[in-house]
């Protein structure tokens, strides 16, 4: 997958993709991540990327010209219907579709080229949405000062699901949400720490009992913190 990030704060991304699974995926050629400064695509001499809103009101709005120029340069067209197959232009904003594991999985499976627009200020000129954006995504019901942290979340969640990214020792199958439930609790050595014992069932090597305990704990956790997830859960946790 090739991911291009468009931002007015390219330095924000610094080394954020240079750790763990994302780093490994980059080194293995599973993903390529490029960060572009939107100002580089600005057309006026002051390199403006924002302007005052028509109709008045607070804040500034991101101008359409630099964004159209950037998408045209990256995808070869500003015509959404003519984007290369498997390409998406994603706008991160609090107004977007809520990001869920199912959507992350769908993107990881079907997209091989993604341009991510990190919104700022009060918003982006709506013509960007009308003409360029294929998916508007929110990472949650709260307002960030910009789309950059949301872009890190989206990239991380997608890249770890790309084939081969997790490596053979790990698996995404048992992640929270992958079966409609939160993940079950995990323990490692020592079996007793400061008087706190690891549940006996995990030490006895009986895989059927362990599986049943994990499923029970996953259900308990989900019931406690995320009752809304329980409808539609198939309840396997391993
Ligand atoms: N930009 C500001 N808030 C956001 C959110 N909740 N999700 C995605 N992008 C955002």
């Amino acid at each position: 997958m090739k991911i291009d990030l468009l931002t007015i704060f390219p330095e924000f991304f610094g080394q954020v993709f240079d750790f763990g699974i994302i780093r490994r995926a980059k080194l293995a050629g599973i993903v390529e991540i490029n960060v572009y400064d939107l100002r580089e695509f600005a057309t006026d001499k002051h390199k403006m990327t924002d302007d005052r809103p028509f109709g008045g009101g607070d804040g500034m709005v991101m101008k359409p010209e630099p964004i159209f120029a950037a998408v045209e340069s990256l995808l070869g067209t500003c015509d959404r219907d003519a984007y290369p197959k498997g390409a998406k232009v994603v706008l991160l904003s609090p107004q977007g579709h809520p990001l869920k594991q199912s959507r992350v999985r769908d993107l990881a499976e079907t997209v091989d080229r993604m341009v991510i627009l990190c919104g700022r200020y009060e918003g982006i000129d709506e013509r960007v949405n009308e003409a360029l954006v294929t998916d508007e995504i929110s990472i949650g019901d709260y307002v960030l000062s910009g789309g950059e942290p949301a872009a890190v979340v989206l990239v991380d969640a997608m890249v770890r699901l790309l084939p081969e990214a997790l490596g053979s020792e790990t698996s995404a199958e048992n992640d929270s949400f992958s079966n409609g439930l939160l993940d079950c609790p995990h323990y490692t050595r020592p079996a007793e720490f400061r008087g706190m014992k690891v549940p006996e069932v995990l030490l006895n090597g009986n895989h059927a009992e362990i599986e049943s305990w994990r499923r029970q704990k996953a259900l308990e956790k989900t019931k406690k913190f995320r009752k809304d997830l329980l409808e539609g859960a198939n309840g396997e946790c391993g």
Side-chain angles (χ1 to χ4, degrees), residues 92-94 137-140 142-144 146-147 150:
L92 291 164
S93 92
I137 292 177
S138 163
I139 63 160
Y142 38 79
V143 180
L144 303 166

Side-chain angles (χ1 to χ4, degrees), residues 175-188:
D175 285 347
S176 279
F177 313 112
S178 65
N179 60 9
L181 295 178
L182 299 182
D183 197 5
C184 53
H186 300 277
Y187 296 88
T188 186

Side-chain angles (χ1 to χ4, degrees), residues 77-94:
T77 175
C78 282
D79 176 358
R80 193 163 43 192
D81 298 328
Y83 288 162
K85 198 169 170 292
K88 291 229 179 229
V89 174
V90 172
L91 169 63
L92 291 164
S93 92

Side-chain angles (χ1 to χ4, degrees), residues 3-10 12-13 16-17 35-36 38 62 67 90-96 99 114-124 135-140 142-156 158:
I3 300 172
D4 297 322
L5 293 148
L6 281 174
T7 171
I8 58 158
F9 293 129
F12 174 92
F13 293 96
V16 75
F17 299 124
V35 179
Y36 293 94
L38 204 48
M62 290 179 83
I67 301 175
V90 172
L91 169 63
L92 291 164
S93 92
Q95 288 81 39
L99 186 64
M114 185 177 280
V115 176
I116 300 180
L117 306 175
C118 302
R120 277 266 151 192
Y121 316 111
E122 288 304 297
I124 288 197
D135 300 68
E136 186 171 5
I137 292 177
S138 163
I139 63 160
Y142 38 79
V143 180
L144 303 166
S145 51
E148 286 80 4
V152 174
V153 169
L154 174 63
V155 170
D156 188 294
M158 276 189 315

